[in-house]
Amino acid sequence: MREVSFGQYYPSHSFVHKMDARVKILAVIAYIVAVFLVKPFYFLGFSACLAFVIIATAVAKIPFLKVLKSMKAIIFFIVLSAVLQLFFNSQGTPLWENGFITDAGLYNAIFIVLRITLIVLGASLLTLTTSPVEIADGIESLLYPLKFIKFPVHEFALIMSIALRFIPTLLDETDRIIKAQKARGADFESGNIFKRAKALIPVLIPLLISSFRRADELADAMDARCYSGSKNRTKYKKMKFSYRDLIGVIFTAGLIVGVVMLNGVLGVVV
Amino acid sequence: MQIKAEELKFVYGKGSSVSSHALNGVNLLVEEGEFYGIIGKTGSGKSTFIQHINGLLKVQKESGKIVVGEFDLTDKKCNFKNLRKKVGMVFQYPEYQLFAETVFDDVAFGIKNFMPETSSEHTTELVQQALELVGLDYDQIKDKSPFELSGGQKRRVAIAGVIVTKPEVLVLDEPVAGLDPKGKREFLTLLHSLNKSFVKTVIIVSHDMNVISENCTKVAVFKDGKVVLEGSPEQVYGGNDIIEVGLSKPVTQNLIDDLNKVGVKIDSGLSVESFTDSIARVFGGRK
Amino acid sequence: MPILKAENVSFSYDKKTEVLKDVSLEVKRGEYIAIIGHNGSGKSTLARLFNALIVPDFGKVYIDGLDTSIKDNQFKIRENVGVVFQNPDNQLVASIVVDDVAFGPENLGLSREEIGNRIDFALKAVGMESFRKASPERLSGGQKQRIAIAGVLALKPQILVLDESTSMLDPEGRREVLNVVKKLNKENGVTVIAITHYMEEVVDADRVIVVNDGEVAMSGTPEEIFKQKQTLKSYGLELPLASYIAEKLREKGVDIPQTILTEKQLSEALCKLKQKS
């Protein structure tokens, strides 16, 4: 069996891991808002955000390198935005004579790189310290008030839960089908992009058919266990708000206040 | 084609924190012409091993070697496509790999991949041959959608899709899982008849000791990524080592053991035919 | 009153070919019934009829006196008839064992406390108490199937239907599941209906029902059923291996009784021959 590691959850028993997922989700949202609150070129604001991430990472007992690794996936995106700002910003004065890179372009590039980096670092801190199941439960609980405007919170949560449950199964199955077709001479690695896309048909069709079969069987199994929608349904799992969460809330609030103060009091640093 | 593995090792997730050793130095020799059985508990490395035979899993660095006929799989220049043409691989529940609109197209998939130069007449000929070999009526089934067939038929079509390019070695993982008793018996008969055609060597992985002892000429027992027992079914099941590995013995072997305990020595093979003949000899039945 | 009763049931999926034709059968409280038949004989359709996933086109199915075709009964019937299906991967809904077992009782709208009690009971009954927090992907096939059984046990059903629940498991997993099911039948008095095509799983049943081409073809104790070798063969079924070997021995003139079903019985019979000679 192949070990499927799904998501980037980093199991541990740290303070942050034990926090209520709802608080962590809200804290990350607040953190992202704080990052956006930093006015252009007030770089000290960013240092407050960075301090927040570093402290949280330390408390969560996650190797800092692990957090940085989450940048790998979007490094291309970051470089692209920086390049666009550098070369296509026509405002400001050129940095050297006849050069097309302006000071405003450079500031913008640095600013955007920092902004994206900080957002990704914060968000990955959530996924590193909270399992996908906890995140799903947290989202469900946070969405609960939407029930009163007839938003199908329960169904939404069930879809998330089933998706989480079946992703590893389907990954395994994909691997098996790819191998089976390879054994019949299928070639997924050579040829141009169209040829490669076409080569995937013998994988996608069996995968699709088997997914439908699984969905069918799962629906039967759920019916057989008396599933009849959210009506009269109770919930076993309860999320608990503890002193840790209170500390988390205070800490996050501190960040927002800090950023706002740095924005207003200190003025342009560069 | 001879299959020879020497000190073959394999690690899943190599270099990561969740790595697990699936093979820990497998030494195995499968001679041409065998009907070879591979047994072992779930997770003993059987599946990982058979995926090496046709290069679906590549031999890792400094992890021993495996040679299949003229193919040295550790060689960088090894032509895996040619190897896979010669070594057919049937996974568990192969019916779930069918994808084409018609049975014909599905079976012909291997021809298109391995022998793209084949004329359409020759393709038809090969597909017809393959379908007939697995016991299906070509004219009746060729234009049907593979998805409207019964479970047993689907499995046969899937096998036809593997043998259509005439592999010399056929490897099957749990080939009779999920079949009813009749389907199971027919399927094993089919494997034996294939073994008498262009398929020189058959290798099956199974959890069913009775299937193994009834059909195989040789057996290898996997445990913790190693071959711990190897030989004829009589050798492998005869002693008590097999019990220590955590596997059971086939019914015929258990009966031979029981009779031995009360002082009746039965010298017979483990197939039902051979066993009942020996008993009839000992207890004076008609021959 | 029988706990399960099917009266002249016919059913077809496409309104053309009947999968079940005029099937009548009764199951007594606490019985262990095995239903066998070749692939496509209609035996799995029976499982779906028994807990009202489908309702008969003609005839009636009664569970503990309740008619499955009446919509208002169906919830109660599903609570009372737990079905475990073939593929362990396709019947678990949650990524954590305890959440999955909770699914059924949550659907019943039980209190948190009662759900907790039922989870404890169900996991204990299948011997998986120590896997509460485990994720199903990390479990073996047999363990997953035991969780699936726990998932239906949490509904406290009186009838447990196994729809080829062991066919995708290795011998170890199959043994685990069968032991759990036998224990539930013996100790908790759960009525068991095991649909299977492993003849070895049938020999311990109180009664065997043979389904062929949508009809109940035979019914009786395992001894009665496996005596009729030719009839079974015509239904695409075979004898358990021990019976088959015994049969072969008789053909070859060895004096072995007709009633052999298990390896143990055959071994005893052979050893007895030695004493005689």
Side-chain angles (χ1 to χ4, degrees), chain C:
Chain C
M1 185 176 66
I3 193 159
L4 184 152
K5 188 174 176 190
E7 267 179 7
N8 310 99
V9 170
S10 296
F11 181 81
S12 104
Y13 286 101
D14 55 5
K15 306 288 162 214
K16 277 187 293 209
T17 38
E18 287 198 316
V19 200
L20 292 177
K21 297 169 219 158
D22 197 24
V23 169
S24 295
L25 55 91
E26 279 183 15
V27 176
K28 287 198 279 291
R29 208 172 286 272
E31 255 190 315
Y32 193 125
I33 302 276
I35 298 182
I36 55 176
H38 62 81
N39 283 345
S41 59
K43 60 188 192 302
S44 282
T45 307
L46 279 175
R48 299 157 58 80
L49 278 169
F50 291 162
N51 81 336
L53 283 175
I54 50 177
V55 292
D57 294 336
F58 301 101
K60 295 275 183 208
V61 175
Y62 297 98
I63 303 296
D64 214 3
L66 295 178
D67 181 345
T68 62
S69 63
I70 295 171
K71 252 210 137 59
D72 287 345
N73 287 343
Q74 288 177 355
F75 198 80
K76 191 91 205 114
I77 286 167
R78 286 179 190 161
E79 191 182 340
N80 208 0
V81 184
V83 184
V84 181
F85 296 92
Q86 184 178 24
N87 191 336
D89 273 326
N90 296 351
Q91 45 191 326
L92 304 180
V93 293
S95 340
I96 293 178
V97 164
V98 62
D99 293 353
D100 190 81
V101 180
F103 182 74
E106 285 176 340
N107 290 333
L108 298 181
L110 300 173
S111 70
R112 271 200 84 222
E113 197 195 348
E114 175 62 14
I115 296 177
N117 291 340
R118 288 194 175 201
I119 293 172
D120 294 342
F121 154 76
L123 285 177
K124 190 152 179 258
V126 299
M128 293 287 288
E129 307 100 303
S130 52
F131 291 87
R132 289 180 76 96
K133 297 267 175 187
S135 147
E137 298 124 56
R138 311 250 166 214
L139 302 180
S140 72
Q143 290 173 327
K144 279 190 233 178
Q145 206 61 311
R146 275 149 74 197
I147 296 301
I149 294 176
V152 303
L153 281 183
L155 296 163
K156 299 232 167 158
Q158 291 181 285
I159 307 176
L160 186 61
V161 179
L162 305 167
D163 185 5
E164 297 192 37
S165 310
T166 57
S167 73
M168 293 182 81
L169 305 180
D170 62 13
E172 218 175 324
R174 202 177 310 148
R175 230 175 357 251
E176 286 171 25
V177 168
L178 285 176
N179 287 341
V180 162
V181 173
K182 276 181 195 157
K183 199 184 95 194
L184 285 168
N185 178 251
K186 292 249 149 54
E187 292 172 17
N188 302 45
V190 175
T191 308
V192 173
I193 301 175
I195 298 167
T196 180
H197 49 229
Y198 285 107
M199 296 306 142
E200 275 69 20
E201 291 179 8
V202 172
V203 296
D204 296 332
D206 296 325
R207 196 150 57 90
V208 180
I209 294 173
V210 180
V211 181
N212 185 55
D213 292 337
E215 294 176 69
V216 172
M218 298 161 89
S219 170
T221 62
E223 287 81 6
E224 288 165 359
I225 297 291
F226 290 120
K227 244 183 353 210
Q228 308 178 48
K229 187 189 149 215
Q230 286 310 321
T231 324
L232 274 177
K233 202 160 185 188
S234 71
Y235 297 145
L237 296 172
E238 300 202 334
L239 299 174
L241 189 55
S243 311
Y244 174 74
I245 296 174
E247 177 77 26
K248 277 263 169 202
L249 286 170
R250 273 199 303 280
E251 276 170 22
K252 290 179 183 175
V254 181
D255 182 23
I256 296 282
Q258 285 235 342
T259 49
I260 298 227
L261 291 179
T262 65
E263 187 186 310
K264 194 158 165 258
Q265 292 166 346
L266 181 55
S267 168
E268 279 161 9
L270 283 171
C271 291
K272 227 178 244 162
L273 279 182
K274 145 85 183 167
Q275 286 159 10
K276 264 194 252 170
S277 64

Side-chain angles (χ1 to χ4, degrees), chain A residues 12-213:
Chain A
S12 157
H13 293 287
S14 82
F15 184 91
V16 181
H17 282 79
K18 283 183 189 154
M19 276 172 66
D20 189 322
R22 291 170 299 183
V23 173
K24 283 191 269 185
I25 294 168
L26 290 177
V28 165
I29 293 172
Y31 164 83
I32 291 171
V33 170
V35 171
F36 275 103
L37 277 179
V38 175
K39 282 196 210 157
F41 318 135
Y42 286 56
F43 289 99
L44 254 184
F46 280 149
S47 60
C49 297
L50 186 63
F52 179 86
V53 170
I54 290 174
I55 294 171
T57 308
V59 176
K61 295 194 183 126
I62 292 176
F64 203 71
L65 220 74
K66 263 242 128 56
V67 187
L68 281 181
K69 259 196 185 154
S70 56
M71 304 295 301
K72 235 167 64 183
I74 57 141
I75 201 90
F76 170 77
F77 181 64
I78 294 180
V79 171
L80 183 76
S81 345
V83 167
L84 286 178
Q85 286 298 333
L86 273 182
F87 294 103
F88 297 99
N89 193 317
S90 50
Q91 288 157 352
T93 49
L95 284 177
W96 56 85
E97 235 176 296
N98 298 328
F100 48 87
I101 297 183
T102 66
D103 56 352
L106 182 65
Y107 285 152
N108 265 327
I110 296 175
F111 187 77
I112 282 193
V113 167
L114 282 175
R115 189 182 257 179
I116 301 175
T117 306
L118 282 168
I119 289 175
V120 173
L121 287 180
S124 59
L125 203 52
L126 173 69
T127 51
L128 280 164
T129 60
T130 323
S131 73
V133 179
E134 288 175 301
I135 294 179
D137 287 339
I139 293 175
E140 179 190 4
S141 177
L142 289 172
L143 289 179
Y144 190 79
L146 293 183
K147 235 181 147 157
F148 300 104
I149 57 163
K150 295 262 155 55
F151 181 81
V153 176
H154 162 73
E155 282 75 9
F156 184 74
L158 191 66
I159 289 169
M160 280 196 297
S161 157
I162 289 174
L164 287 176
R165 158 72 189 80
F166 276 90
I167 285 170
T169 311
L170 290 178
L171 282 178
D172 247 6
E173 174 135 47
T174 312
D175 182 57
R176 205 164 44 234
I177 298 173
I178 287 180
K179 278 183 176 154
Q181 307 299 28
K182 259 192 187 166
R184 292 209 278 162
D187 183 355
F188 304 105
E189 277 122 34
S190 61
N192 58 32
I193 189 152
F194 294 106
K195 220 179 143 198
R196 281 195 214 187
K198 210 175 149 218
L200 282 178
I201 292 176
V203 175
L204 294 179
I205 290 182
L207 192 61
L208 201 68
I209 289 173
S210 109
S211 303
F212 278 125
R213 196 187 63 245

